[in-house]
Amino acid sequence: MIERRFDPGGRIIGLMLRHYYLYRGSIPRIIELAYWPLMQIMLWGFITEYFQQHSSLIAKAGGLLLAGVLLWDVLFRGQLGVSVSFLEELWSRNLGQMFVSPLKPQELAAALMAVSVVRTIIGLSPAALAAWVLYEFNIASMGLSLVAFFGLLMTFSWAIGIAVCAMLLRFGLGAESLAWVSVFALAPVSAVYYPVEILPAWLEPIALALPSAHVFEGMRSVLLNGYFDWGHFFWAAGLNVVMLVIANWLFVTAFNSARDGGRLLQSGE
Amino acid sequence: MVSEIPVEAKSLSKRFGEVIAVENIDFSVKRGQVIGLLGGNGAGKTTTMSLLMGLVTPSAGEARIFGEDVIKRNPSALARINFSSPYVEMPGRLTVAENLMVYAHLFGVVHAKERIAKLAKDLDLESFLNRMTRTLSAGQKSRSALAKSLINEPELLLLDEPTASLDPDTADWVRTYLEAYQRDTGAAILLASHNMPEVERLCDEVLMMRAGRIVDRGSPAELISRHGRRNLEEVFLDIARKRTKETS
C-alpha cells in the first residue's frame, strides 16, 4: 500500500502548483497580469507630470498619484488573484473533483490567497519599475510603510475575493462579472486620490469603515508629512480582521449551500 | 471502535426542493466487493455517489465511509477513496502529468513522482503524459481520468460510467484493468453504469434503482433468475418500465 499523509500544507501546495502549471504554460496569462498595471502607471505618470506644473500639492509630493495607482492596484489585483483563480476551477469544471479529495474549503481559500500574493507581485513589479525609470518615483522609498500598506491591502483584497467566491459558489458563473467589478464599488469611498474629508459627511463613516480608506490616508501621511500614522494602521488591521471573518463565514455558508443544492459536481455548467 | 466497512448507507435520502432524488436507501459495500448501481437516467445513481463522497448533504439518514460520517469530511477517510466520471473533467490546460501531480498532493501521496510513473506505465499513458489534457482523445482522457482516480491507491473506488464513450476495445481494456486492480488490492468498488454486460462481468451484487429507490438487489445471476429473463438488460427494462413488483 502506498504511503499517504494528511497535512493541510501539502494540499495547499498542490493547489498552488495547479496555478503555477497553468501560468507556466500560458504566456498570454502572464502578459495579462502585467499589462493593465503598466498601462495605468504610464497614464497616471503623464498626468502627474502635467499636474506638477499646475498644482502645489503634486509639486510637493509628486509620488502621491503614482503611489495611489500602485497601491490601488494591490487591492484590485489581489482581489482578482483570489476570484479569477477560483473562476479557473469553475471554468475547468474541477471543483467536484477537488472536493472528492480531503481538501477543506478553508484550505482552498488559503491556497487562493497565496496565489493572489504571487500574482499581484508579478503583475505590479513591471509597473513599479516603470514608475521609477520613467517618472523617478521609487515606491520602495516608502520603506517599511510600504510593507505595511501592501500587507493591509492584500488582506482586504482577500476578504473581497473570498466573498466574491462565495457568490460564485452560490450563484454559479452567472455571477462571474462580480469578480471584475466588485472592487470598483469601493473606489469612491476608499479615498485613493483624495482625503476622506472631501467626501460628503454622510459618506465619511462608510469610508472609515473600510480598511482601504485608512491605508490611503496613511499613505498620504507618509508622502506629505513623512509620518507613519499608527492610528490608521490599527484601524485598517482591525477592520481587516472583521472583513476576513465575514468573508470566511460567507464562503463556508456558500460551500454548505452548494453541497445542499448538489452544485459542487455541476459547477461550470 | 471505528468501522472499517468502506460504505454504509443508512436510511439515506436526498430531496432537492420538491424533487426526491434518493429515498430511504440502505446498503453497504464491504472490502473486496464490487457493487453495481443500475437504473435509468434520473434514477438517483449519481446523487447516491455524490452523497457517499460528501459532495451532497443528505436530507435524512447517514452515509459513512470507513466508519466516518462523510459530512464531517474527515481527511483520513477521504484520502482512502477516489472517483472517476467522464462527466467531470480535469483542468484541460494542464498536462496529464501536471494534473496527476496536483491530485497526488490533494490526496497526500508521499512519493508522487514514483506513483505517477507506475500509473503511466500500467495504464499506458507514457506517450501522452506531457500533453495538455484538453488535446487528448476520448480514450486517452478516460485512461488519464482512471489514473487520477487511482493516484492514491484508493481502498474504495467510485466509478460513474467509467467506459461511457469508449470504443469496445478500450472499454474492455479498462474493465480488465479494474478487475486486476480489485484483485490485487482488495479494494471495494461502487460502479454506476448503463452497460449491462459490464455490470454482469464486474459486479458481485447489483442495486437496481428507480426514482431514487432501490427496487431490487442481488447478484446478476440471481436477478436474471428471479425475473425469469435471459440477461441483465431484460431485467433492467422490466424494472425501468415498472413491469415487476418492488422487492425491497
Side-chain angles (χ1 to χ4, degrees), chain A residues 72 75 79 156 160 181-192 194 206-207 210-213 216 243:
Chain A
W72 170 255
L75 185 65
Q79 182 270 136
F156 187 34
I160 302 166
V181 303
S182 57
V183 78
F184 288 109
L186 304 178
V189 281
S190 285
V192 183
Y194 43 78
I206 295 171
L210 297 173
S212 47
F216 288 108
M243 298 292 175

Side-chain angles (χ1 to χ4, degrees), chain A:
Chain A
M1 183 178 288
I2 65 167
E3 198 180 335
R4 306 185 196 109
R5 61 176 172 233
F6 306 116
D7 64 308
R11 295 193 286 274
I12 292 170
I13 288 169
L15 287 180
M16 291 180 71
L17 264 182
R18 180 252 193 275
H19 290 279
Y20 166 67
Y21 292 146
L22 180 70
Y23 281 87
R24 187 177 68 171
S26 176
I27 290 170
R29 276 184 167 81
I30 296 170
I31 292 172
E32 190 272 336
L33 284 182
Y35 176 76
W36 281 114
L38 201 54
M39 290 302 106
Q40 285 268 84
I41 212 71
M42 301 276 283
L43 180 67
W44 284 92
F46 291 127
I47 292 171
T48 296
E49 287 194 341
Y50 174 71
F51 277 134
Q52 272 177 334
Q53 296 163 24
H54 298 88
S55 160
S56 57
L57 182 70
I58 300 297
K60 182 181 171 191
L64 211 53
L65 291 177
L66 293 176
V69 171
L70 286 170
L71 288 178
W72 170 255
D73 250 4
V74 171
L75 185 65
F76 181 48
R77 298 285 143 190
Q79 182 270 136
L80 278 185
V82 173
S83 48
V84 171
S85 301
F86 186 72
L87 275 170
E88 296 278 4
E89 308 300 356
L90 297 186
W91 290 330
S92 58
R93 302 178 59 178
N94 192 35
L95 213 54
Q97 292 261 39
M98 288 189 335
F99 280 111
V100 173
S101 78
L103 182 71
K104 295 190 170 180
Q106 292 89 344
E107 292 163 8
L108 171 61
L112 294 173
M113 292 178 198
V115 169
S116 87
V117 174
V118 178
R119 273 180 53 122
T120 303
I121 290 172
I122 292 172
L124 288 183
S125 295
L129 191 64
W132 187 20
V133 172
L134 299 176
Y135 308 111
E136 297 175 354
F137 171 66
N138 180 9
I139 192 151
S141 65
M142 290 168 77
L144 286 176
S145 307
L146 176 66
V147 176
F149 298 150
F150 181 85
L152 290 167
L153 288 170
M154 278 307 306
T155 310
F156 187 34
S157 78
W158 293 340
I160 302 166
I162 295 296
V164 169
C165 293
M167 296 300 116
L168 290 166
L169 263 177
R170 178 66 187 82
F171 300 108
L173 285 175
E176 184 178 342
S177 59
L178 280 178
W180 309 98
V181 303
S182 57
V183 78
F184 288 109
L186 304 178
V189 281
S190 285
V192 183
Y193 306 113
Y194 43 78
V196 170
E197 65 192 39
I198 291 294
L199 295 170
W202 64 273
L203 260 183
E204 284 186 24
I206 295 171
L208 292 173
L210 297 173
S212 47
H214 291 280
V215 170
F216 288 108
E217 286 291 335
M219 176 199 77
R220 273 184 290 278
S221 174
V222 168
L223 289 174
L224 291 171
N225 310 319
Y227 162 70
F228 185 82
D229 189 326
W230 284 98
H232 282 303
F233 173 81
F234 285 121
W235 265 109
L239 287 167
N240 267 336
V241 172
V242 175
M243 298 292 175
L244 271 182
V245 169
I246 293 170
N248 183 61
W249 176 79
L250 281 173
F251 190 65
V252 172
T253 303
F255 179 77
N256 290 334
S257 162
R259 281 171 98 188
D260 195 45
R263 293 189 298 275
L264 285 180
L265 266 184
Q266 294 160 0
S267 62
E269 290 179 343

